[in-house]
Every structure is written in C-alpha cells, then in structure tokens.
Amino acid sequence: MEDLFIQISKAVVAGLMMGLVFGLVALGLTIIFGVMDIVNFAHGEFLMIGMYAGLLTATLLRVDPLVGLPVAAVVGILLGLVCYYSLVRFLLRGPIVAQLFGTFGLMLFLRNVALMVMGAEPQSLHHGILVGKSFVVGPGMVIELTKLAAGVLSLAAFAGTWWLLNRTKIGKGLTATALDGQAARYMGIPTERMNAFAWALGGATVSVAGALLVNFWPVDPNVGLLFTMIAFTTVALGGFGSIPGAALAGLIVGMMINIAPMWDACAVYLEMEVGWLHQFKYSFVYLAFFLIMVFRPRGLFGWKH
C-alpha cells in the first residue's frame, strides 16, 4: 500500500510541475487569439525555436542553461514581430481560411528551416547547475530540480504577464483592443501596435517555456507537434482568450497525462492483468480536446465566441 501511495504521489507532483509549464506554453496562444481571433498553428514551432535558443546559448557560450532564458525571450519577441509584420497583418485582411492556411504554412516553413539548419537528430543539454540533480522529499519521492525550477519559473512568468496586462498602460491597451478593436481605435489606441505586441508577448512566453523545457526534454525540429496539441487542448479547456483559464487548464492537462502512471501503479498493486497505459498517456489529451470541442467549446473561462 505504501508503494502505491508513493507512486500516485509522484505522478501527482509530476503532473502539477509539468502542468505549470504546459500553462505557460499555452499562454502565448491564448493571448494572440484573445486579441486578434487568429489561431497560430506555428505555436509549437515557436516553442521549438525557444528550445534551440536555450540549447545553443548554453552550449556555444558555455554558460548555465538558465542564462538562456532571457536570450530565448528576446528571440521569441523578434520572431513574433517578424511573423506579424511580414505575414500575419496581411492575412488579417483576408478570409478566415487564409489565416488558417497562412499560419499552417508558417508552421511547415519554420519546421523545415530548423530541419535544414539543426538536422533531424534530437539534442539534449548535459550540463548546468540544475541538470541531473534532484532531492529527496520522502521515502521513494525524488524531485528533479530541472522540473521543479521549470514549474516555479513558469508560475513567476504567469504572474509577470498578469501584472503586465492588468497593471500597465500597454497591457490595458492590449485588453481594450481584445475587447473591441474598432472602439479602441476611436479611443486613440494604436491597435496595429497592440496586435504586434500580442505576437511579441506570445512569442516571448512560449520561447521561455521552450528554454525551460530543454533542460530535461530533448529538442528536434518535430518536437513542436506534440506541444501544439497540448497547447490547443489547454487553451480549449481554459477558454480561448482567458489567461487564468490557461493556468488552471495547464494543471488539469498535466494531471491528465499522469493518469496513465497512476493506473499502472494501481494495476501492479491489485495484480490486475491489464495492458500498460503509460505509452498511451497523451491519448487522454487528444480525447479531452475532442470532448471539449463537442460539449463545451468555450472552455471553462472563455469569453470569446
């Protein structure tokens, strides 16, 4: 019984830590949709570029991976601005289908550029003050410092983003643009700049999430596909355009992924002759996305129709 309790406790702790990171991954997606009603299919590729930014900063400059966080943020801001001014603002003049295909094409473009420049082989970080280190919190309970730091820093990034959007002039301008762009223009708010700011902020948050992930997750040009699906599920569950919803939904998605390890632990304890679910752990996320779209497309806190 003690082993079962330990295994379930480990799964819960892992789900909460990863859930905070998933929330940060989804934050940029929900900001961009909240302001412009456009779905960025290249969001996972933004994350992949953030991972490479953190990896290359740490390996080429021989510094700690944590130094790569501000570098990844700057790369994400520049990436968001370049994508907005060179592509997205033109897509906004066309029909919705053009926006969908446009960001889908951006996804393929970024992925293939990464494949050409970085190659297809997965790459990992092997040094850093947190990499490979852990601490014991109880019998059989070991927490990796890289994942704990990723969860804590994701929570700090959420708090900073909330403060920026609710306590600063530019944040209030962004919120006004999200509520009613035309009325915001009449009030003198530069909505074009607000749109660009949304893409810069979205790019920065997801790139920082990538730089946190690369401390314990290998990166390759296709890694964005998995996180795109997770981000879409998180945003759909929390509600398109809802920042608190993204935070809560990230935790829920993190727990969903850890349902399989909990089930496997119960199966071992009860000596049940059932198949292992661990290899299907992401299937719960895909199922949740389908069910949310069918039964509650506005999510938990969404205000965008």
Side-chain angles (χ1 to χ4, degrees):
M1 188 66 183
E2 184 178 348
D3 288 343
L4 176 62
F5 175 76
I6 291 173
Q7 294 301 321
I8 292 179
S9 299
K10 288 169 63 177
V12 170
V13 172
L16 293 177
M17 289 191 296
M18 285 305 299
L20 290 170
V21 181
F22 293 154
L24 184 60
V25 172
L27 180 60
L29 188 66
T30 203
I31 289 174
I32 291 171
F33 181 85
V35 174
M36 284 176 286
D37 287 343
I38 183 171
V39 177
N40 180 19
F41 283 101
H43 195 69
E45 277 55 45
F46 280 35
L47 177 111
M48 175 264 292
I49 290 172
M51 293 178 78
Y52 275 123
L55 177 77
L56 294 176
T57 301
T59 54
L60 297 181
L61 301 181
R62 297 184 181 280
V63 296
D64 191 84
L66 294 178
V67 178
L69 294 178
V71 176
V74 171
V75 170
I77 290 171
L78 295 176
L79 180 64
L81 291 175
V82 169
C83 289
Y84 176 74
Y85 282 112
S86 64
L87 175 67
V88 176
R89 67 171 178 167
F90 299 107
L91 295 177
L92 293 174
R93 301 170 185 170
I96 292 178
V97 67
Q99 300 170 15
L100 296 177
F101 280 109
T103 58
F104 186 80
L106 178 62
M107 174 192 75
L108 296 177
F109 173 75
L110 294 176
R111 186 180 301 178
N112 282 279
V113 168
L115 186 62
M116 182 174 62
V117 174
M118 301 303 298
E121 291 298 318
Q123 300 181 49
S124 305
L125 273 175
H126 301 290
H127 73 278
I129 59 174
L130 301 178
V131 176
K133 298 181 177 63
S134 59
F135 66 95
V136 179
V137 295
M141 283 286 292
V142 179
I143 295 180
E144 296 178 42
L145 284 181
T146 50
K147 294 182 179 178
L148 179 62
V152 172
L153 292 175
S154 295
L155 194 59
F158 253 104
T161 305
W162 182 88
W163 177 84
L164 178 67
L165 295 179
N166 292 278
R167 293 290 186 267
T168 65
K169 185 176 179 180
I170 191 171
K172 292 178 181 178
L174 189 69
T175 304
T177 303
L179 291 172
D180 192 328
Q182 188 174 14
R185 278 193 297 275
Y186 291 152
M187 296 296 292
I189 296 173
T191 54
E192 179 81 7
R193 292 182 186 175
M194 290 298 108
N195 289 342
F197 176 61
W199 275 81
L201 184 58
T205 54
V206 73
S207 295
V208 168
L212 290 171
L213 276 168
V214 81
N215 285 283
F216 56 90
W217 199 299
V219 55
D220 66 73
N222 295 311
V223 72
L225 180 61
L226 171 64
F227 287 98
T228 296
M229 196 64 226
I230 291 175
F232 272 49
T233 303
T234 304
V235 172
L237 179 60
F240 287 91
S242 172
I243 293 175
L248 179 60
L251 293 174
I252 295 174
V253 171
M255 295 305 299
M256 280 182 196
I257 292 175
N258 280 276
I259 288 175
M262 293 183 203
W263 171 261
D264 291 346
C266 291
V268 171
Y269 177 74
L270 298 174
E271 298 181 351
M272 296 168 59
E273 295 294 332
V274 296
W276 299 103
L277 290 182
H278 185 75
Q279 57 187 324
F280 303 111
K281 60 182 181 181
Y282 294 112
S283 300
F284 294 100
V285 179
Y286 305 144
L287 177 63
F289 181 71
F290 173 75
L291 294 176
I292 294 165
M293 288 294 97
V294 172
F295 295 106
R296 191 173 174 80
R298 291 185 60 194
L300 297 176
F301 303 102
W303 49 271
K304 285 279 184 180
H305 296 274

